[in-house]
């Protein structure tokens, strides 16, 4: 027994040394590269994963305003027997990075429409409007160009995407049959939004749109309750490359979107939507605490609330399989 413990101890020690040496080797190879080559490579591999294993295709549509382009990932072989599901991401990168753990499972049950919100990923506009209404209008315009103008859509949204989905449900109620809102501060007053974000210190824009590895580590720690130990193993230069690839191109626009969201007061009648709604919340959410999930449910008579234990704000990362099952059961009407 003692000899076995010694072997296990030595094995752990050798693995730890090997990992440390590998980190230092990678650091020596790439630390002087300003171009985010590693993240660009990972992003390309994600695209291949979406195309080959999830049967998704990239499509870019120009809207009628002549100013806005919206990029989508769309199911390559749509089936009439499957309902259409629109997936709206939050802050924290483009749609590929946020939904990587979910698309494979959901693509088996739905025809997927996964846009990059404007100024995220490959979606862009020359319009100076930074409101949630503009995001909603852009997504609706893109969906209509893709033939989704007959209604019957289900929409799954998380965090910032929840604000956009709610606006669509309110302004274009005929388009959406069912709505899933995950960890979103929909219905917050301006004061509530600012209070929650300021709990974490620093400028709100630095948290949502990180400038350096320290900011990005804070964003991940605030967003997740489990699985954050991996942060200790990621060198700063890789995090810097992620920031360069995901945030630097449209940094000013992303900051303006965040400020518009946080500084705008919601309308009192904002809660008046009729769609059947599933609300999903982690009980350890530090961005929008669980009490706000209960509050949102009280304002929505046609809603239900699912609470995930020991899960933080990033439900799509911490509990993707559970979230997928909830979405599938809710949209397909499976009890």
């Amino acid at each position: 027994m003692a000899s076995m413990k010694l072997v296990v101890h030595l094995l752990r020690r050798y693995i730890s040394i090997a990992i440390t040496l590998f980190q230092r080797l990678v650091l020596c190879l790439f630390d002087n590269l300003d171009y985010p080559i590693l993240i660009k490579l990972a992003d390309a591999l994600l695209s291949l994963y979406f195309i080959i294993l999830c049967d998704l295709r990239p499509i870019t549509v120009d809207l009628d305003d002549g100013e806005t382009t919206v990029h989508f990932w769309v199911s390559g072989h749509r089936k009439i027997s499957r309902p259409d599901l629109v997936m709206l991401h939050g802050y924290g990168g483009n749609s590929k990075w946020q939904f990587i753990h979910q698309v494979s499972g959901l693509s088996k049950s739905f025809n997927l429409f996964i846009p990059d919100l404007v100024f995220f990923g490959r979606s862009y506009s020359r319009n100076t409007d930074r409101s949630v209404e503009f995001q909603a209008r852009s997504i609706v315009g893109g969906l209509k160009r893709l033939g989704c103008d007959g209604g019957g859509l289900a929409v799954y949204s998380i965090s910032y995407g929840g604000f956009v989905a709610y606006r669509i449900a309110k302004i274009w109620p005929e388009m959406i049959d069912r709505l899933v809102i995950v960890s979103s501060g929909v219905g917050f007053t301006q004061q509530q939004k600012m209070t929650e974000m300021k709990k974490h210190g620093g400028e709100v824009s630095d948290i949502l749109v990180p400038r350096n590895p320290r900011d990005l580590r804070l964003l991940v720690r605030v967003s997740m309750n489990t699985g954050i130990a991996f942060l200790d193993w990621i060198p700063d230069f890789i995090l810097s490359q992620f920031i360069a690839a995901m945030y630097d191109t449209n940094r000013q626009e992303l900051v303006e979107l965040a400020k518009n969201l946080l500084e705008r007061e919601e309308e009192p009648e904002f809660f008046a939507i009729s769609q059947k709604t599933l609300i999903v919340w982690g009980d350890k959410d530090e961005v929008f605490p669980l009490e706000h999930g209960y509050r949102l449910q009280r304002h929505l008579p046609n809603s239900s609330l699912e609470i995930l234990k020991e899960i933080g704000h990033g439900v799509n990362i911490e509990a993707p399989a559970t979230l997928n099952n909830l979405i599938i059961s809710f949209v397909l009407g499976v009890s």
Side-chain angles (χ1 to χ4, degrees), residues 231-247:
L231 276 178
D232 298 331
W233 294 98
I234 301 179
D236 281 356
F237 81 92
I238 293 182
L239 297 181
S240 295
Q241 290 195 7
F242 182 86
I243 291 169
M246 298 296 155
Y247 299 103

Side-chain angles (χ1 to χ4, degrees), residues 78 84 86 113 140 142-151 153 175:
R78 303 181 204 174
D84 296 332
V86 180
F113 296 84
V140 168
L143 289 170
K144 289 183 176 180
R145 293 294 296 271
L146 293 174
C148 298
D149 52 0
L153 293 175
M175 290 192 67

Side-chain angles (χ1 to χ4, degrees), residues 222 225 282-287 290 308-313:
V222 168
N225 183 58
D283 69 340
K284 301 299 183 182
D285 193 329
E286 294 187 10
V287 178
L290 178 57
L308 305 186
K309 299 296 184 181
E310 300 301 320
I311 298 300
H313 183 70

Side-chain angles (χ1 to χ4, degrees), residues 21-259:
L21 290 174
F22 176 76
Q23 285 181 310
R24 292 182 178 179
L25 175 62
V26 172
L27 184 64
C28 291
L29 291 174
F30 295 104
D31 195 24
N32 294 323
L33 290 176
D34 294 328
Y35 184 75
I37 185 171
L38 293 180
I39 302 303
K40 292 290 186 180
L41 176 60
D43 196 70
L45 292 175
L46 278 181
S47 293
L48 289 176
Y49 170 71
F50 271 45
I51 293 170
I52 297 173
L53 297 181
C54 303
D55 189 31
L56 295 171
R57 300 293 181 267
I59 297 178
T60 301
V61 296
D62 296 325
L63 303 189
D64 294 337
D65 64 4
E67 298 181 311
T68 306
T69 297
V70 182
H71 179 268
F72 284 82
W73 285 96
V74 178
S75 292
H77 299 86
R78 303 181 204 174
K79 296 184 178 179
I80 194 170
S81 60
R82 294 178 179 175
D84 296 332
L85 178 68
V86 180
M87 301 171 62
L88 300 181
H89 64 83
Y91 270 80
N94 57 39
S95 58
K96 282 188 298 186
W97 287 80
Q98 291 211 10
F99 293 134
I100 178 178
H101 300 296
Q102 293 185 270
V103 290
S104 178
L106 293 177
S107 65
K108 296 177 176 64
S109 298
F110 304 105
N111 300 315
L112 298 182
F113 296 84
I114 312 175
D116 288 330
L117 296 175
V118 180
F119 301 119
F120 296 83
R122 297 183 180 181
S123 296
Y124 185 77
S125 179
R126 294 193 300 270
N127 196 310
T128 59
D129 189 349
R130 301 293 180 260
S131 67
V132 174
E133 286 85 353
F134 171 71
Q135 289 281 10
R137 189 165 63 250
S138 299
I139 297 304
V140 168
L143 289 170
K144 289 183 176 180
R145 293 294 296 271
L146 293 174
C148 298
D149 52 0
L153 293 175
V155 177
Y156 150 51
S157 58
I158 185 166
S159 195
Y160 178 63
F163 290 90
V164 180
Y166 216 109
R167 281 295 193 277
I168 296 174
K170 178 186 176 183
I171 302 172
W172 296 273
E174 71 283 356
M175 290 192 67
I176 299 178
D177 279 352
R178 298 199 175 205
L179 178 61
V180 180
I181 297 177
V182 182
S183 307
S184 182
V186 171
F188 269 40
T189 64
Q190 176 187 0
Q191 184 59 46
Q192 287 172 323
K193 287 183 285 190
M194 296 300 292
T195 298
E196 294 299 339
M197 295 306 297
K198 286 183 177 179
K199 285 181 180 178
H200 308 293
E203 289 293 326
V204 172
S205 59
D206 289 341
I207 297 176
L208 293 178
V209 191
R211 295 180 177 277
N212 53 56
R214 179 183 59 82
D215 294 339
L216 183 55
R217 293 180 192 277
L218 175 60
L219 175 61
V220 174
R221 293 188 186 281
V222 168
S223 299
M224 296 175 60
N225 183 58
T226 60
I228 59 177
F230 76 94
L231 276 178
D232 298 331
W233 294 98
I234 301 179
D236 281 356
F237 81 92
I238 293 182
L239 297 181
S240 295
Q241 290 195 7
F242 182 86
I243 291 169
M246 298 296 155
Y247 299 103
D248 285 355
T249 301
N250 298 319
R251 174 172 297 279
Q252 184 59 39
E253 291 86 351
L254 292 174
V255 170
E256 292 170 358
L257 286 174
K259 289 183 177 179

